[in-house]
Structures are given as C-alpha cells and as structure tokens.
Amino acid sequence: MYDIAIIGGGPAGLTAAIYAGRSKRKTILFTGSNIGGQISLTFQVENYPGFPESITGPDLVEKMTAQAKKFGAEIDERTVTGVDLSSHPYRLMIGEEVIVAKSVIIATGSNNRLLGLESEERFMGRGVFVCATCDAVIYEDLKVVAVGGGDSAVQEALDITKYAREVEIVHRGKEFTASNYLKKEALKNERIKIRFNAVVEEILGEDYVSGVRIRDTLTGEETVIETDGVLIAIGWTPNSELFKGQLELMDNGGIVADDVRTSKQGVFVAGDINDDKYRQLVTACGSGCRAAIEVDRFLARG
Amino acid sequence: MPGPIDIQSSEWMELVESEERPVMVEYWHHKCVACKQMKPIYEAQPELFGNEIKFTRMNLLESKENRKFAIRGGVRSTPTFILYCQGRPVGQIIGSRRPDDFTDEIRALVDNAENCLMATPLEEE
C-alpha cells in the first residue's frame, strides 16, 4: 500500500512528489501519456525563478522528475483508468491492476477547450490547431482564423502574424477579455482583422481546411471566411472525467475544494485542474506543495 | 552510422528525388517541443535501418522556402515525417511517438513502399 498516490505528471504533481518523497512517504506518481503536462508544450520558460537564462519546458520536467525520483518517489508512465474513493484506503485502477493508497493528490491539469464540432475533430492536424508555438510556422504567407478573445487567443494571434499574411480573430463576445496591452497590440497590428459577436458554425474543406462558416450572433447572418488554418484558443477544460460520481464537481468541471482540500478526507487537488485564474508554472508548483503538506498532516493524524 | 542529413528545399532533386532508396524527411523546427522530444529517437533510426532508408530532416525555421515547400507537400503540423520514393510520398507519421512504436511505424511504411521499390529501374542483366 502506498501512503500517497499522485495522478498527473505536470509541475503540480511533480512538486507534490518531491515533497512527499522527501517526507519519506511511500509515493507513486502516475504521469499518463501526457508526460509533463502543458508546460511540455512551452519552448522557452522565461518566468520561472532561478533560471535567468530560461529553460525549455521538457528540460524542466526532466529535472523535476529526477528530483522526485531522488527522494524516492516512484514515477509510473501508465494512465490511471479509474478511481474508487468510496472507501478508505482509496483504490486506483490501471487497466486490470489495482493500486491502494492512503491518500490521493489529483493533479490532472486541463486541456484546450474545443468547439465541439465534428468538422473540428476531422481537420485536427489538417489545418485546425491548438498550439501556436508548434504550428504557426506552417502558415507562412497563408491565412489563419484565430477563435477566442482572451489573453491566449490574442497573444497567439500576434505570434502567428510573424508568419501568416493575415490573422482574423473571431470572438463571440462584443470585446476582447484579453489584457489592455494585448488588445492594443492586436488593434495596431496591420495583419490582424477582428470580428466580434461571431461564432464558428462549421470548419470547411476537403483534405485540408479551406474555410470556416461563421454566424453573426446579433443579426444571425452567416458568412464563409476562406482560410488555411484555424487556431482554437477558447480556454481550458479541467481533466476531471475520472472523478465524476466520486467527487463533487463545479459547473466548469473543476473539483469542489477548499484550496487544495476536497470534500473527501485524504483526497487533495493541485494545479491547473482547479485554476482558471492564474495558470502559471509557479502557481501550479505552489499548490502541489500545499497539497503535499496537507497530505503529510493527514497521514500524521493517522 | 551517421545521423539524419540536414537538407534544404533547394536540394530536393539532388538529395531526395534522385535517391534510389526510400527517403525519410522530418519536417521540424527548433522551437517545436515535440520535435525536441523526437530528436534522439529520430537520430537513433539510421543505426536500426542501416542502408535501407536514407534519413533526412528539413528545418522549417531556416528559410521561407523550406516552409512553403513543406506547406505545398501537405505538412500541417510539426514534426511530420514523410517517407518518399523517388520524391513521391508513400506514407507519413505526424507528431511524437515512443521509440519502439516509431520504429514499428517506419517499418510498416517501408513495407508499404515495396511496390515503389519495384518501380526502380533494375540493373540490366
């Protein structure tokens, strides 16, 4: 039996594993296939204290993993397929195998929210993309429609203009929710066009994306915009599927909790799964640390 | 066995199309995290396949010509690995893979490319 089972191998889970391992608690962390989580998709991490020369996301994950292992945490790359939190000790299912633990830290993070269109799924990787850092270069001299109006949509639209000849931002609201600085940058960029009060109804094309059909939410009028790429940047969905029926969930899919403490004794939550406000590397690490300290107190009480 | 050869789109005729063996081209760039994850895995392949396949890679951030070439060739995500026979694409692998899966998929692409190898003019007897 483990003292602590951590689900999720991003910065929150890894920080919790470092603390738990260092407290000599028998610890296992399941990364699943998405090793390192969202930070693995960041090329240069420039705002993590202690790395003035910047560090790549994957390198940082590698170092955190090594640090967790050094303190004795087991890192398992398999995916947790089910949990049973109805009785203590808690049980985690990995396919056929069952792991038993006295406490659980949920650090499963969040994924890009998608529009939920059938055409979006069909064209994923064929013109539809969610990672501008990865795929912007593919749109040299082409046109991209960026869907969304928050910080990440506007920042990524600006990044794409380094390559694309035009980026048209389609946003359902009547103004951006992005920060003032980004708003101004977008408004003065000649390569950016903006369409407010518009929603994407369908992504069009044969083998690759060739356009999007949008609807004006005020007039109901539909228009087709020709485009080579569609960036989806409409926010995040907490990865809480595994805990449906086991823990109380919020409307946005996050887990009901008082900071890192869920409603179940010995079950804690950390990182972006419950953060729609800050979503920083350092805040994820911070909550991973708090969860590990709470776990330690829980285990000490016996 | 040397690692993958770095190529430019301008060298396509010389280094890919006129090659008798199947040629693998990785379309990548140095800010792409998945490409970085795949780098050691891709670099290990020439050792495994010997002379059967020629392994190359094209950095899309090196020139606009490289980017436009990749786009015309249907690349919409990095890394994309496309196997060519005399310049004709015969299959592709998009995104990152675990080492063994990657090698297996390349093996499947080469096996698929057998008919393309048959089309290579045989030496006259």
Side-chain angles (χ1 to χ4, degrees), chain A residues 20-285:
Chain A
R22 195 159 173 271
S23 305
K24 300 273 188 284
R25 299 293 187 186
K26 191 168 161 51
T27 304
I28 187 162
L29 179 151
F30 291 98
T31 64
S33 57
N34 183 14
I35 296 165
Q38 294 280 340
I39 197 67
S40 294
L41 294 176
T42 306
F43 186 71
Q44 297 287 5
V45 178
E46 293 179 331
N47 54 9
Y48 191 64
F51 294 90
E53 252 78 79
S54 90
I55 180 167
T56 72
D59 284 348
L60 188 64
V61 168
E62 214 177 291
K63 281 178 189 288
M64 287 183 177
T65 306
Q67 200 171 351
K69 282 182 178 164
K70 183 180 118 180
F71 291 120
E74 279 177 51
I75 309 289
D76 192 318
E77 291 187 2
R78 290 178 299 169
T79 302
V80 175
T81 51
V83 293
D84 181 358
L85 307 177
S86 60
S87 59
H88 196 262
Y90 301 122
R91 300 189 309 149
L92 270 56
M93 276 63 84
I94 297 98
E96 301 285 292
E97 201 177 320
V98 178
I99 298 284
V100 183
K102 293 178 195 163
S103 66
V104 175
I105 296 177
I106 298 165
T108 46
S110 60
N111 273 339
N112 290 87
R113 180 174 296 152
L114 296 173
L115 296 166
L117 304 169
E118 179 276 326
S119 52
E120 170 188 49
E121 195 182 331
R122 185 154 42 96
F123 289 116
M124 190 57 74
R126 298 177 167 274
V128 175
F129 61 110
V130 293
C131 174
T133 320
C134 316
D135 292 340
V137 302
I138 301 296
Y139 295 93
E140 179 80 47
D141 284 347
L142 299 180
K143 164 143 185 188
V144 173
V145 164
V147 187
D151 276 347
S152 60
V154 176
Q155 178 64 62
E156 292 184 358
L158 286 163
D159 291 346
I160 298 169
T161 60
K162 289 173 199 153
Y163 302 98
R165 66 164 199 279
E166 184 179 292
V167 179
E168 186 160 350
I169 303 177
V170 173
H171 178 45
R172 66 159 58 227
K174 63 180 195 295
E175 58 181 271
F176 288 135
T177 52
S179 69
N180 278 326
Y181 170 78
L182 288 173
K183 266 191 242 181
K184 278 183 197 150
E185 289 292 306
L187 290 171
K188 74 178 187 209
N189 189 311
E190 287 177 354
R191 291 192 182 193
I192 290 186
K193 264 173 79 172
I194 300 164
R195 235 180 243 258
F196 291 118
N197 303 307
V199 291
V200 174
E201 293 282 305
E202 194 184 359
I203 296 164
L204 311 165
E206 285 190 20
D207 291 337
Y208 297 106
V209 169
S210 64
V212 289
R213 185 158 50 81
I214 61 165
R215 181 171 51 83
D216 187 305
T217 55
L218 301 179
T219 65
E221 191 189 339
E222 295 203 346
T223 325
V224 170
I225 307 175
E226 284 186 21
T227 186
D228 305 287
V230 181
L231 169 77
I232 312 289
I234 53 172
W236 309 91
T237 310
N239 295 326
S240 58
E241 196 67 26
L242 207 52
F243 311 100
K244 272 190 186 153
Q246 305 267 345
L247 292 169
E248 200 185 331
L249 302 186
M250 294 185 280
D251 287 342
N252 73 356
I255 291 169
V256 173
D258 173 14
D259 189 27
V260 296
R261 275 188 301 270
T262 72
S263 51
K264 272 210 161 60
Q265 289 276 317
V267 180
F268 300 86
V269 60
D272 279 5
I273 180 175
N274 260 16
D275 181 359
D276 55 9
K277 199 171 177 188
Y278 303 109
R279 307 184 53 83
Q280 299 299 301
L281 173 57
V282 68
T283 55
C285 294

Side-chain angles (χ1 to χ4, degrees), chain A residues 40 43 77 134 138 140, chain B residues 29-30 33 67-68 71 98:
Chain A
S40 294
F43 186 71
E77 291 187 2
C134 316
I138 301 296
E140 179 80 47
Chain B
H29 63 85
H30 52 264
V33 172
R67 293 196 280 281
K68 300 201 101 173
I71 293 161
R98 288 174 193 263

